Amino acid sequence: MIDTRLLSGNNNEDIAEAATILAQGGLVAIPTETVYGLAADAFNGEAVEKIFKAKGRPQDNPLIVHIEKMERLKDLWSDVPEKALKLADAFWPGPLTMIMTKTDKVPKEVSCGLNTVGVRFPEHPIARKVIEMADTPLAAPSANLSGKPSPTNFAHVKQDMYGRIDAILEGGDCFVGVESTVVDITGDVARVLRPGAITEEMIADVLGNAFTDSAVEDGLKEGEKPRSPGMKYRHYAPASPVMLFCGAPDDTAAKVMSAPEGSAVICFNEYAYGYDYIPQMSSFSKIAPLGNSWDHAMHAHRIFDALRSCDGAPAIYIQCPRRMGAGAGSVNRLMRAASFNFERCTPYPVIGVTGRSGSGKSYIAMLLGEKLGYPVFDADAVYKRLLEVDVNMTQRILRNFPEADNCGKVDRKALAKIVFADKSAKLFLESITHPCIADEAKKFIAENKGCILDVPLLHESGMGRLCTATLGVTADDDIKLQRIIARDGIDTDGAKARLAAQPSDDFYRESCDITIKNNQEGFEKIEELAEKLIKL
Ligand code: TXA
Ligand code: MG
């Protein structure tokens, strides 16, 4: 048992103390924006060897090296390729690790016999300060006992590492919450070996192309040699059995809520706090909310804490986030926690397509529908039809918006004028119309073997919870303006006002699994996109 010192990252003397321990060959757990790392001087083989003992880590699983300035790369990599510079420019400092051919200076204890080494330039100011003060790159895996969920706060690190290492440097909660994206750039095309906050799509945007290793999504096949040794091991796993449910959130919620009494449940906020579910909730021993169903950044932030907090329950039932794009990181961790045993709860793909006016989302929805042979549900058209045929809906609208009553019929233009000028009126109208449109969507989904939902307010209406994948479509502002003016015959000011009333493109980047830019007609990557979006 080592006398572990507890140091504060808010205090410069404590950071200096941590740096001294590291420079002298000791082990210190340090905060980073992804997860806490268990650090040692990367050029000191003996020090690095102690990391493996403290974690109980298999001897063949290499470590990531952390730097705080680009000059250190030349000591670690035999060559710094153009690809690396481009990715560094876009994503460093940040949650991206790049694998390249190593120099002889990197000891075998770090690379575990491989001729490559992974390097990351973290964003966390305390991590960077420690590296700078120790004046050496730091080798650091996640600071958990091997196989356990990674630590995303100080308490997690203490739980696993107290008494096993020289010091823990406190630095609050880790902002990102899943480990860095690991990308191998030794080949022609960048290969993602571990998904994280920097997605395959973001890397492809910078380099022109990128792909994700097949073992990431489906696990290793019998006898297959892993590209990354870490892929071999059961990981992130609590001691309790884990049941994982994949598909549209509404479908997976139903499954998770049928967990036996006393189970622990990890689910989206809409269900954790939704009135419909409160009776079932009371029978569970623990409920860990993962954030709203669309909020991939929050899922990543909470996932390891949720797994740790449920440990010890007779079973853990988990509502799995959607797996493509920004969800890939969290899903990968959950798949491994569940040893790739999961249940699919939605039989056919339901692809939600959304975006602002003039983004060209309906065009993309149509292309996807053609490509996949799926029918498209056009929410705008359905709304117009319901105004003609749904007596219950129109009566409720007319009772609340008498100014829009034209001899018992809803005057759509008058109604639009009212709600355009008054935000709370708009929300109130939507509280009437959205459930009616969503009911139509549910029928449409049940009648078809796969479909596209073209819905401007996909998330706001709750219809995103019916989807197995969501796609946000964006376009440059001037292009959106031109399209609105040409299509709807309104002037520039009118078009600008309409755009100003809608959420920013960032909203779609945060809330959709994948976002694409549709600046011209004739979208060239539609096949690749379609293939990704139909994965269940
Ligand atoms: O966010 C992170 O990356 C955190 C923080 C502390 O920086 N670190 C981290 O390290 O997650 P670790 O050791 O828990 O995970 C490193 C992963 C392992 O799956 C390992 O197999 C893989 O990266 N890896 C490391 N070096 C590699 C290499 N040369 N080739 C292929 N895979 C490698
Ligand atoms: Mg780890």
Side-chain angles (χ1 to χ4, degrees):
M1 175 101 178
I2 300 172
D3 180 20
T4 303
R5 301 209 41 199
L6 301 180
L7 303 171
S8 164
N10 289 327
N11 178 329
N12 273 333
E13 278 162 31
D14 278 16
I15 299 179
E17 171 83 32
T20 307
I21 297 173
L22 287 163
Q24 292 171 351
L27 299 188
V28 182
I30 60 168
T32 85
E33 72 276 19
T34 56
V35 303
Y36 275 76
L38 178 51
D41 176 357
F43 292 137
N44 180 341
E46 261 172 53
V48 171
E49 196 160 354
K50 289 193 280 185
I51 293 178
F52 288 81
K53 292 210 186 78
K55 275 185 64 110
R57 184 177 176 103
Q59 292 288 343
D60 66 347
N61 197 5
L63 306 181
I64 292 171
V65 176
H66 299 70
I67 58 172
E68 90 301 12
K69 53 182 178 193
M70 292 297 281
E71 292 94 279
R72 295 201 192 274
L73 268 184
K74 64 178 187 319
D75 293 334
L76 298 163
W77 287 349
S78 60
D79 167 39
V80 181
E82 186 66 29
K83 279 206 273 299
L85 294 175
K86 283 187 180 159
L87 290 176
D89 213 35
F91 305 121
W92 277 1
L96 179 72
T97 296
M98 294 187 239
I99 311 262
M100 254 313 282
T101 318
K102 75 178 193 73
T103 61
D104 292 341
K105 232 184 135 178
V106 177
K108 62 180 188 318
E109 287 81 1
V110 170
S111 55
C112 298
L114 299 178
N115 64 352
T116 54
V117 65
V119 179
R120 177 159 107 80
F121 188 150
E123 164 136 53
H124 200 296
I126 299 175
R128 281 153 63 177
K129 195 87 187 259
V130 183
I131 307 170
E132 190 191 335
M133 290 179 114
D135 196 22
T136 178
L138 297 178
S142 48
N144 51 288
L145 289 172
S146 199
K148 289 285 158 202
S150 295
T152 52
N153 63 37
F154 184 57
H156 296 162
V157 184
K158 264 207 319 207
Q159 194 177 33
D160 280 15
M161 287 299 151
Y162 194 80
R164 307 177 77 92
I165 61 177
D166 299 300
I168 304 173
L169 187 56
E170 145 120 73
D173 287 3
C174 299
F175 175 72
V176 176
V178 296
E179 305 89 336
S180 60
T181 304
V182 175
V183 61
D184 179 341
I185 53 166
T186 55
D188 283 343
V189 182
R191 176 195 290 258
V192 175
L193 299 179
R194 181 174 72 182
I198 308 298
T199 64
E200 177 201 304
E201 291 78 18
M202 289 159 77
I203 294 172
D205 270 350
V206 172
L207 298 180
N209 50 25
F211 70 107
T212 298
D213 195 273
S214 65
V216 168
E217 282 178 2
D218 307 321
L220 287 169
K221 292 174 195 70
E222 194 75 28
E224 184 185 357
K225 186 171 178 295
R227 291 269 173 171
S228 177
M231 288 170 164
K232 282 203 296 269
Y233 301 104
R234 185 166 186 240
H235 231 128
Y236 314 121
S240 307
V242 170
M243 308 288 298
L244 188 59
F245 298 95
C246 301
D250 269 5
D251 296 336
T252 55
K255 284 284 181 172
V256 162
M257 294 306 152
S258 68
E261 219 179 300
S263 304
V265 159
I266 299 178
C267 66
F268 303 128
N269 287 15
E270 295 97 320
Y271 309 98
Y273 304 123
Y275 289 117
D276 292 355
Y277 294 95
I278 283 174
Q280 285 106 305
M281 287 291 180
S282 60
S283 73
F284 302 135
S285 60
K286 167 89 201 172
I287 298 149
L290 208 52
N292 287 326
S293 59
W294 49 264
D295 193 348
H296 290 299
M298 189 57 81
H299 304 158
H301 183 70
R302 291 196 178 163
I303 205 138
F304 287 133
D305 186 55
L307 284 170
R308 276 181 187 253
S309 72
C310 291
D311 207 359
I316 307 176
Y317 275 56
I318 306 178
Q319 206 177 2
C320 194
R322 286 184 284 252
R323 60 155 61 191
M324 65 288 299
S330 302
V331 175
N332 168 260
R333 302 333 185 254
L334 288 172
M335 284 287 170
R336 308 186 56 142
S339 304
F340 288 92
N341 291 316
F342 65 95
E343 188 180 325
R344 283 198 180 94
C345 305
T346 309
Y348 301 102
V350 179
I351 304 169
V353 181
T354 189
R356 303 167 81 189
S357 299
S359 62
K361 81 182 160 51
S362 296
Y363 177 75
I364 296 286
M366 189 252 328
L367 280 188
L368 277 174
E370 259 174 21
K371 182 80 234 151
L372 295 165
Y374 289 176
V376 178
F377 177 90
D378 177 345
D380 283 336
V382 169
Y383 169 57
K384 284 176 198 160
R385 181 167 57 80
L386 289 179
L387 284 179
E388 300 297 325
V389 301
D390 186 334
V391 182
N392 280 331
M393 186 181 93
T394 47
Q395 286 309 311
R396 285 190 64 201
I397 294 174
L398 293 179
R399 236 180 291 133
N400 291 287
F401 298 92
E403 306 90 321
D405 191 338
N406 181 8
C407 309
K409 287 245 165 213
V410 177
D411 179 338
R412 211 154 40 81
K413 290 238 164 76
L415 187 61
K417 211 168 155 194
I418 300 168
V419 300
F420 188 68
D422 178 352
K423 205 160 184 186
S424 63
K426 178 170 182 282
L427 288 175
F428 184 60
L429 174 66
E430 286 168 358
S431 75
I432 299 171
T433 57
H434 283 163
C436 300
I437 302 169
D439 280 345
E440 294 299 303
K442 285 177 196 166
K443 282 186 226 156
F444 193 82
I445 292 166
E447 281 161 8
N448 291 291
K449 297 186 171 177
C451 64
I452 318 276
L453 305 184
D454 170 0
V455 187
L457 300 177
L458 185 70
H459 299 293
E460 300 88 329
S461 65
M463 287 166 66
R465 299 201 292 269
L466 307 174
C467 300
T468 58
T470 61
L471 175 69
V473 183
T474 68
D476 289 339
D477 278 349
D478 52 327
I479 291 176
K480 285 192 290 242
L481 277 180
Q482 282 164 22
R483 284 182 184 151
I484 297 172
I485 292 165
R487 184 186 61 195
D488 300 341
I490 51 177
D491 62 10
T492 309
D493 286 343
K496 277 190 178 154
R498 187 179 305 173
L499 278 179
Q502 298 179 2
S504 71
D505 283 347
D506 280 343
F507 168 80
Y508 299 99
R509 276 188 280 274
E510 280 159 24
S511 62
C512 293
D513 304 339
I514 297 181
T515 341
I516 57 156
K517 202 173 225 188
N518 177 25
N519 270 356
Q520 68 280 328
E521 306 296 283
F523 192 76
E524 60 298 354
K525 288 195 169 169
I526 200 76
E527 296 208 6
E528 203 182 300
L529 186 65
E531 210 174 287
K532 268 189 202 159
L533 290 168
I534 55 171
K535 270 191 201 145
L536 285 174

